[in-house]
Structures are given as C-alpha cells and as structure tokens.
Amino acid sequence: MSSANTEVPVAEASDALVLGRRIRERRMQMGMTLEHLAKLVDRAPSQLSSIENGKREPNLPLLRALAVALNSTLDELLSDEAPSARAALEIAVERAQRGPVFQALGLQPIRVSKTASDEVLQAILGLHQEVERVHRERAATPEEARRANTELRSEMRSLNNYYPALERAAHELLERVGYTEGPVSQRTVSDIAEQLGFSLHYVTGMPHSTRSVIDRRNGRVYLSSTQPSRDARAPILRALAGIVCGHEEPKNYGEFLRQRVESNYLAGAVLLPEQSAVRTLQDAKAARDISMEDLRDAYAVSYEMAAHRFTNLATTHLNLEVHFTKVHESGTLIKAYENDGVRFPSDALGNLEGAMICRNWTARTIFAQPDRFNPWYQYTDMASGGTYWCTSRVEKAKEGLYSVSAGVRFEDVKWFRGRDTPHRTASHCPDDTCCRRASPELTEKWQELAWPEAATPTSLLAALPTGAFPGVDNHEVFAFLEAHERASNSKP
C-alpha cells in the first residue's frame, strides 16, 4: 500500500471508502473518539479523519497499528463488505460525488456526516442516479439510435408519411405572407422569418458543427455567408421549424430524431406547398407522366427534396404506394421509406441504416452509368416477391456521391415517365449468391491469399455525440452568439 500521506486516486476510491468506513464503524463500536485512536497509533486526528472518509489510504504499518488498537484483524478491516446498511449508503453517496457525472454538474459536494439522515442521503443518491440515466440516454449508442430510427419509421409508414398538422402549419405560414402560386422565393422565406419575429444574418465563422444558429434572445437567424442564396431557403425554414413546432430541448435521441424529421418535413411543405404540388402531381398522373425532375424544376428545389416530398403526398392524394432511398456510393443505405412492400435489407431488429443495398437495385446500378445528366430508370425483379420500378439520380455531397431514388410496384408504373425503359435486373438478396459472394472460381483462387484491411467507419465503434443536440459544440455556439451580440450592441 501507499504511504500514509498519499492521496487516494479516484480509480482506487471505492476500496478506500469501504476501508475507511470499517475503521470508523469499529472505532464507534468501541466508544472511542478520533483523538483517542490517533494517540494510540501516533498519528494526527486530521490524518485519521481523512482515512475514515476514504480520502487517504494507510500504509501497511499504520493499518496493522489500527487493527491492534481497534482489537480487530487486517482481514476484518480489509473486507470488501460495508460494515452496515448505513455505511453502505454513505459509501454510495461518496462514490457518486466523486464520479464524473456529479463533477460535470459543477456542484459543491456535501459532507456525508452522521448527522445527515438516511432520507437525505437516499434523495441525493436517487437524484444522481437519475442524472446519470439521462446522460446515458443522451450518449446514445448506435444500437439505441437505430432503435429510435426504426420506431420513427414505423410511425411514418402507418401515416403514409403524411402529417396533416405540419401541412396546416406550412399553409398558414405561406398564407400570412401572401403566397399564391409557383416556386417559393427567397423573399417569401425572408418574409416568413420576419412574420415570426426573426431577421436573417449571413456571416462568416459559423460554428463548424452547425448549419444554422437561432438567437431567440435577439430574434436572429445566423447562416453561412458562403451559402448561395438560392440554397438558403431550406436551411432557414429548418431553423424556423423549431419555433413553429414549439420544439424544446430534446430529452432523448428519439425526440431529437423526431424534431429533425418535423423540421425537414415543414421545410418541404413550405417549398412545395400541398395544394399547388398536389395539382401538379395530379395533372402529371392524368397525363401518365409523373416525374421527379418536373417536380424539382417546378419548385426550384433539390432532387432529393422533390423525391422526399413526393412520398409525403403520393399515397394520401394520388393513391400510390411508394418507396424512397438515399444510398451512398459505397452501397450503404442512408435513408429509406416505404409503404409499397419493398423489402429493404435490415438486421433482426428491423434496423435499416448502415445496411448494404443489393448491387442490382437501381440505387446502385446508377453509379455505373456514364450519363449523370438524365435520370436512370430500371425494373428490378425481387426474390422477395414482385417487380419494382425506380427512377434515380446521383447527387454530390462532401461525403461523396449519393443516389436518390423513388419507386413503385410494377402495377403502378403506368403513371410515370420512364416506364418504357429497357433496363431490367433481378435481385436474389438476401441470398449471398446474388451479389455478396464471389464466384466459385474467384473464391478458390483468392480465398486463402487475400487479406484486406477494412476501412472501418469511426462511428461504428464510437458512441453517438452527446449533448441536447448531438454533434453540436455548445461552447462554440454560445461563444459565437456572444460575439455577435456584442458586435451588434456596439454599433451606433
């Protein structure tokens, strides 16, 4: 053991706490004061007090002297068991106060003395356990995040991805600023912000972990000055969605995901207004010429937003069941929605994100096409049953290339442009022979000789970012807002 004057590291504090409580308990059973025991072992009372409180650890000679003075043995003093139920409660509270969760709160630890009632200590311990539970929830593991995603997707499917309350909210926002028809302009979005009591500020030096920052104190929305104005509409609307939807600080990862879905939905519902977009789609259906490109161009939005908005309206207003995917060029599934029965790859719990899409699906065959200007249409015969048709495009992001696809069952393709495509594949997934297993010839040639190193995504092994808004650096955001408020207040 260490010397008598050595501080006990936090990692060793558990044993030191039990030892200290056993020494105190034995001393009190013998009716001995701290000062009397200190004289018997030739130590200062303050030193023994630190030992009894688990803040110091006695060396072996002192421990032997304490055992003799207390008419005990080394084995008895070094037992791992707390000497009583009360001592066990005190130890639990001390451990909690020395742990990282309590220290992160910045609170002054209380002195756990014999005058503190059991009820007080139990209340402190209970509060600590609840704070610790909330921290665990917010530091969601990838498994917890996927579970929340699965639950949310199930709800979206049950509602046909159509949320009437958000549609009404979007309609009311547009009505308040006098919108009538056509693409929603940047000016219209600015007017919506003004109606909600916010001004728009395009600045440099945005916190790197944010797309936008709202200052509710001063009624400002900050966005990057490098963002082209034609692309600023969706970020502004996503930022304002929290105000419109009454979002509060999310209590768990599931609530955080729901708020993001609502923000994206509201932005889409404003930029592709329901009544106007439905008329556009109904006219296209009547002409048997539904096209994601036409929807994109009619409202000057991205292809992804047009395809996703189509899924909001297709079932409720066009009586069409559909599916949607966003897939990275590596084949990894990023986003997915379906109510037409298509079988996405998933694990046993129904988690989709991170799964590998079959190489023969439209969402992956498009990456092999040299023509990136025109849409790619394809039929895919599924082993799980039925034939599906998809229209897909490739879009570029900082993480690489993505395909965005929308599709329907074979019997519904008659309403879409591109139904006459000659491109057709067959998918036998999840059978490994479809696209995951090499041919017998290549397997025999390379199985014993190939040794690749996997490029493991860092997120595969790491917990998701912590905090109320995962991935956002609050220190950076608060410093940003403080700097801009000071700059604004210093202007004449």
Side-chain angles (χ1 to χ4, degrees), residues 23-41:
I23 292 172
R24 176 186 293 173
E25 191 85 0
R26 183 64 179 166
R27 175 177 63 78
M28 295 179 68
Q29 286 175 355
M30 297 181 67
M32 190 183 299
T33 65
L34 188 65
E35 290 73 15
H36 185 192
L37 179 60
K39 288 181 181 180
L40 291 176
V41 297

Side-chain angles (χ1 to χ4, degrees), residues 6-20:
T6 302
E7 291 287 343
V8 180
V10 172
E12 302 172 9
S14 296
D15 292 339
L17 280 169
V18 175
L19 173 60

